[in-house]
Amino acid sequence: MSKIYQYDYIIIGAGIIGLTLAKELMSKYPQSTIAILEKEEDVAKHASGLNSGVLHAGFYYTSDSLKARFCVQGNQLMKSFCKENNIPVNQCGKVVVAANAEELQGLYELEKRGKKNGVDVELIELDRLKEIDQNAKTYQKALYSPTTASVDPKLVCSKLKNILIEQGVQINFSTKWKRIKNNIIYTNKGQYACKFLINAAGLYADKIAKQFGFAKNRIIIPFRGNYLVYGSKKHSIKTHIYPVPNLLNPFLGVHYTLTVNNKLKLGPTSTPAFWRENYKGLSRFNLQEFLQIIYYESKLFLFNSFNFRRLAISEIKKYNRKSFVRLAKHLSHNCDPTSFDTWSKPGIRAQLLNTKTLKLEMDFIVEGDSNSLHILNAVSPAFTCSFAFAKYLVSEKLQKTID
C-alpha cells in the first residue's frame, strides 16, 4: 500500500494566491503542517508570473465587490512586503485619459467609484496632467492615481517561496493533481490527505472544484494577454497611461505600462484562447479542453454576450502590429509607434464564465464547505489584492468553515 502524506492544510497551486494563503496560514496557525502541490517546476509559471506587475489602486470596481474591498489594502500590503524584503517598486502612478466628451463621463464615474472605495484619486486639469506626464493626451480632464505602481511579480513570488520554505511549508513541484477519492488526493507523485484543502489552481480551479461538487454552471474561459515592448530607444513616458475602459466587461483596454525598471509596454491583448494553456502554437494542446472551450466561445459569438463578437473581431486585428499600436495613438502626444517592436511572453487570464447567463463573472468567486475552499475567479487585480485577499479567506471564509 502506498504511503499517504498527511498535512493539516494542502493548497493546490503555487501562484500568488496559493503563496499568500500559505503565508497567512503560517502566521495564524504556526504549529500547523502545510503543503503546496504545484504541477509546474517552480512558482508563478502562469498568470502570477506573467502579469503586468501593475499594483492597482482600486477605483475601477463597484464598492460592493470583493475587488474593491481588498485592492486598496492589498496595494499597501504588497508595497510593505516589497519594502521589508528589498524588492524594487516603481512608484510611477497612473493617469486615465479620455478621448472625447462621452469618455469624460467615464472619468467622473471612475472618480466616484474611487472616492467610495477610499482610493487616493483626483480629476485633474490639462496643466496638471502636463506636470505629471507631458506626453499623456486627454480631452479636457484626466484621472490621476498616485498610488498605482509596478513590481516584478516573479521576484515577489520567488521571495514568498523562500520565506515559506524557511518557515517549514512543504512545496512539492512537478506534482500534478489527478483526482480525489475517499478524501485521498491522488497525484503523479503519490497520495495526500489533509484536514482542509484550498484550491488555488488558477486555470484549473473550476475542474478541481467540480470534483467537490462546486463550480456548478461555471467554467473557466481562457483569454490570452500579450504586450508589445518598446525597443532600445529611450522613451519619455513618465506614468502608466490608461484609456477609459468599458465598465461592463473586466478588461481595461490597450494602455501604456511602465515596468519596475521603467521599460515601456503596450497592451494587453484580450484574445480568446482555445485551450487553457494556449500560449503559443500547439504547445500544451488539449483536445478535450479545445472542444469544450470552442463550444462555449461559439455560443458567446452566436448570442453576442457582452459584445463578444466585436471583442473577438477586434482581437484578431491586434495580430497586426501596426493596427495594434494605432489603438493607443490617442493616449499620448509623442511616443514613436515604430519602436514597439517585440512581443512579450503572453499570460493567460483564467476568466470564469457563467454558463447559464453566458456572462463573465466580474468579481472574485469563492465557494467551499467544512472540508475545502475553492478560489474560482482570481483575476485582475488579484495580484494586487493577494495579501489582503488571503487575510480575508483565512480569517473569515476558512475560519467559519472550521468552526
Side-chain angles (χ1 to χ4, degrees), residues 56 88 90 121 147 187-188 216 225 262 283 316 365 403:
H56 293 280
N90 184 353
V121 66
T147 59
T187 76
N188 64 318
K216 293 177 181 177
N262 228 38
S283 171
I316 290 170
I365 303 290
D403 292 344

Side-chain angles (χ1 to χ4, degrees), residues 276-343:
R276 293 177 191 240
E277 295 181 16
N278 179 200
Y279 287 102
K280 186 178 181 181
L282 292 174
S283 171
R284 300 197 177 196
F285 176 75
N286 183 302
L287 180 60
Q288 184 182 5
E289 290 177 12
F290 173 77
L291 294 174
Q292 187 181 49
I293 289 166
I294 281 291
Y295 169 75
Y296 283 109
E297 288 181 351
S298 298
K299 286 186 75 171
L300 293 175
F301 194 88
L302 179 65
F303 294 105
N304 200 27
S305 300
F306 60 88
N307 286 317
F308 181 82
R309 201 176 299 155
R310 187 168 72 177
L311 172 67
I313 292 169
S314 67
E315 288 301 317
I316 290 170
K317 293 178 182 177
K318 290 178 185 176
Y319 283 111
N320 181 292
R321 188 167 61 86
K322 288 184 179 179
S323 175
F324 187 35
V325 170
R326 274 199 299 269
L327 292 173
K329 194 174 180 181
H330 69 283
L331 300 179
S332 70
H333 293 289
N334 181 27
C335 191
D336 179 15
T338 63
S339 292
F340 289 100
D341 53 14
T342 307
W343 288 103

